[in-house]
Amino acid sequence: MNLGIPRGVQDILPDETPFWHLIENTARNLFEKYNYEEIRTPIFEFTELFIKGTGETTDIVMKEMYTFQDKKGRSLTLRPEGTPGVIRAYLMNKIYATTPIWKVYYIGPMFRYERPQAGRYRQFHQLGVEVLGRKDPYIDFEIINLAIEFLKTLELENLEVEINSLGCTKCRPAYREALKNYFSQYKDILSPIDQERLERNPLRILDSKDEKIIPLKENAPQPLDFLCDDCKNHFERVLNYMNEADLSFKISPKLVRGLDYYTRTVFEITTTSLGAQNAVVGGGRYDNLVETYGGPSTPGLGFALGIERLILLLKQQNKIKIERPPLIFIAIEKEKHVKKAMEIAKSLRTNYRVEMGSPEESLRTQLKWADKLNSDYVIFVNQGIENNILKIKNFKTGEEKEIKIEDIKELQHVVL
Ligand code: ATP
Ligand code: MG
């Protein structure tokens, strides 16, 4: 058999998993302290969920979804992003009825059919947070701050926060109209997809990566110029809190984000260290999404962060040293020594990694294993334990010592 793997997916091998643990543990710790709880939603959902939520004119839905039919002919899709599943869970479980403010986080794989390159894969992982039930601008600030705090906890540098506001159902129609008029002048240049978007959702053209469109975006109308008073005030309040907290940021009037549900605040955290794939975090407010799915009017907001890109950054900035505890190998002479060997191993495992040899094998073979496993120390459990004596060998220096078995608790002082 020719072993292979589909394009854009990858193994996370054991020398990589410590980075994943670090990121996941840091996220869990921090988010729990901000009173978020973890949610785990299914990897696949009904396709309709994403068409309705993420938006049928977005790149994600038009080009990037892994959609398939199950054996009963139902259309299912591997989730390309986390928010729609969280909102579906909120509605199906009627969480709104008992929990007026709901704060959750998730960590898991997402799937998008994109052109794979460094920092861009077809299966990738996001961690994200969602807050449902708060419309005040302080919470917009809080989630931006939470994303920044998370990245700072990991000691990341060269980050830039970009913020914009996309307005609401009140002010969006005028902006949409202005955009439509603007891009209509260039109808002939627009690709068939963007021509369709011109009719259905001109905002999406601003998200186009088409070379011919990029220069046109320069003079396109900007959402900030169309905000109603409420949206303007909300935006100013968010920026106020950012200033209040001394967080640096940049207003990016052209930032629209690739999902349809955003209203008001949108933001991205980018880095100057990752080349083209420079977005690490993306997020924003979605005050109409719950209603779009048929639920009660509920404001919401959140962000998602790409774990692979974060790991690329961590490695590049070389801040994090991943260390495992020293490895102790216990060589066991005879079957009758097993019980004692297990007791010793158990007490050592509080501070060390412990590997067991086997009384089935000669001491010589056991020592070969110890070497192959790259052990730091070997402890010999043999007839010496009948006199409460253990021999310890530092496998790197060859130095040997004998200690009393009751001193095992202090072993770390003896050995290290
Ligand atoms: P990009 O502009 O780079 O395509 P995006 O706006 O599509 O990003 P979001 O949907 O906002 O990304 O997802 C949030 C984060 O998830 C991104 O900032 C990025 O770190 C990560 N991400 C998105 N798509 C991928 C992918 N295909 N491979 C790896 N990470 C990704
Ligand atoms: Mg994308």
Side-chain angles (χ1 to χ4, degrees), residues 354-410:
V354 179
E355 276 278 355
M356 300 303 260
S358 161
E360 306 292 321
E361 300 293 341
S362 67
L363 185 59
R364 208 178 125 82
T365 302
Q366 293 189 55
L367 289 178
K368 269 193 193 151
W369 290 352
D371 189 36
K372 284 181 181 161
L373 288 162
N374 199 20
S375 307
D376 296 289
Y377 301 97
V378 177
I379 290 181
F380 300 84
V381 181
N382 50 29
Q383 72 273 24
I385 56 164
E386 279 151 34
N387 303 318
N388 278 341
I389 296 293
L390 277 177
K391 190 170 80 174
I392 297 170
K393 179 173 179 166
N394 182 324
F395 221 60
K396 305 285 181 209
T397 63
E399 197 185 324
E400 291 186 0
K401 271 191 185 132
E402 287 195 339
I403 62 157
K404 288 204 184 110
I405 206 160
E406 54 268 30
D407 293 337
I408 196 85
K409 287 254 180 303
E410 290 162 47

Side-chain angles (χ1 to χ4, degrees), residues 172-201:
R172 185 80 66 84
Y175 175 57
R176 218 181 127 108
E177 212 38 49
L179 263 185
K180 197 168 160 181
N181 289 337
Y182 174 78
F183 282 114
S184 295
Q185 311 170 65
Y186 306 104
K187 210 167 172 178
D188 300 343
I189 313 178
L190 298 182
S191 68
I193 283 191
D194 283 338
Q195 286 197 16
E196 190 190 332
R197 286 167 164 163
L198 185 61
E199 295 309 318
R200 293 168 65 191
N201 189 358

Side-chain angles (χ1 to χ4, degrees), residues 139-288:
I139 192 74
D140 301 46
F141 154 74
E142 194 190 270
I143 68 153
I144 299 172
N145 177 58
L146 180 58
I148 296 170
E149 190 172 332
F150 175 71
L151 297 170
K152 281 189 181 156
T153 309
L154 292 168
E155 297 184 34
L156 286 173
E157 290 169 353
N158 303 332
L159 299 166
E160 195 164 78
V161 182
E162 299 181 30
I163 311 184
N164 194 16
S165 173
L166 300 181
C168 65
T169 42
K170 233 175 19 187
C171 46
R172 185 80 66 84
Y175 175 57
R176 218 181 127 108
E177 212 38 49
L179 263 185
K180 197 168 160 181
N181 289 337
Y182 174 78
F183 282 114
S184 295
Q185 311 170 65
Y186 306 104
K187 210 167 172 178
D188 300 343
I189 313 178
L190 298 182
S191 68
I193 283 191
D194 283 338
Q195 286 197 16
E196 190 190 332
R197 286 167 164 163
L198 185 61
E199 295 309 318
R200 293 168 65 191
N201 189 358
L203 207 80
R204 284 274 66 88
I205 302 177
L206 291 178
D207 199 37
S208 173
K209 300 191 173 63
D210 188 332
E211 303 241 315
K212 281 181 278 177
I213 305 303
I214 292 169
L216 299 183
K217 292 190 210 171
E218 202 52 44
N219 295 318
Q222 299 178 352
L224 288 182
D225 296 328
F226 289 80
L227 297 186
C228 61
D229 287 346
D230 285 349
C231 286
K232 214 181 276 175
N233 183 49
H234 188 98
F235 190 53
E236 275 163 16
R237 301 294 303 145
V238 176
L239 302 186
N240 231 34
Y241 290 122
M242 294 290 292
N243 286 325
E244 226 23 77
D246 285 330
L247 295 178
S248 55
F249 63 90
K250 192 174 101 186
I251 296 174
S252 282
K254 300 211 156 51
L255 179 70
V256 290
R257 312 265 310 114
L259 315 161
D260 265 355
Y261 45 68
Y262 286 121
T263 53
R264 295 193 166 170
T265 316
V266 288
F267 74 98
E268 263 180 16
I269 303 181
T270 55
T271 165
T272 46
S273 324
L274 279 185
Q277 271 51 257
N278 65 351
V280 186
V281 180
R285 180 169 274 287
Y286 46 81
D287 288 342
N288 307 317

Side-chain angles (χ1 to χ4, degrees), residues 60 112 114 119-122 124 126 209 257-259 268 277 279-282 304-306 308-309:
I60 291 182
R112 295 184 194 174
E114 300 199 70
R120 191 176 295 286
Y121 313 98
R122 290 182 175 172
F124 62 101
Q126 286 186 337
K209 300 191 173 63
R257 312 265 310 114
L259 315 161
E268 263 180 16
Q277 271 51 257
V280 186
V281 180
L305 171 153
E308 283 83 353
R309 285 185 200 178

Side-chain angles (χ1 to χ4, degrees), residues 312-341:
L312 285 175
L313 268 179
L314 283 174
K315 286 185 174 166
Q316 207 178 68
Q317 301 189 356
N318 208 14
K319 281 272 171 53
I320 311 287
K321 293 275 169 285
I322 306 279
E323 276 172 18
R324 304 175 78 200
L327 178 64
I328 298 183
F329 185 96
I330 299 189
I332 310 170
E333 189 183 355
K334 294 208 165 83
E335 188 184 335
K336 65 175 179 184
H337 301 132
V338 164
K339 193 167 172 219
K340 212 66 214 176

Side-chain angles (χ1 to χ4, degrees), residues 77-92:
T77 292
L78 301 183
R79 61 180 189 194
E81 55 135 340
T83 307
V86 171
I87 306 302
R88 180 203 43 69
Y90 175 78
L91 290 173
M92 277 184 67

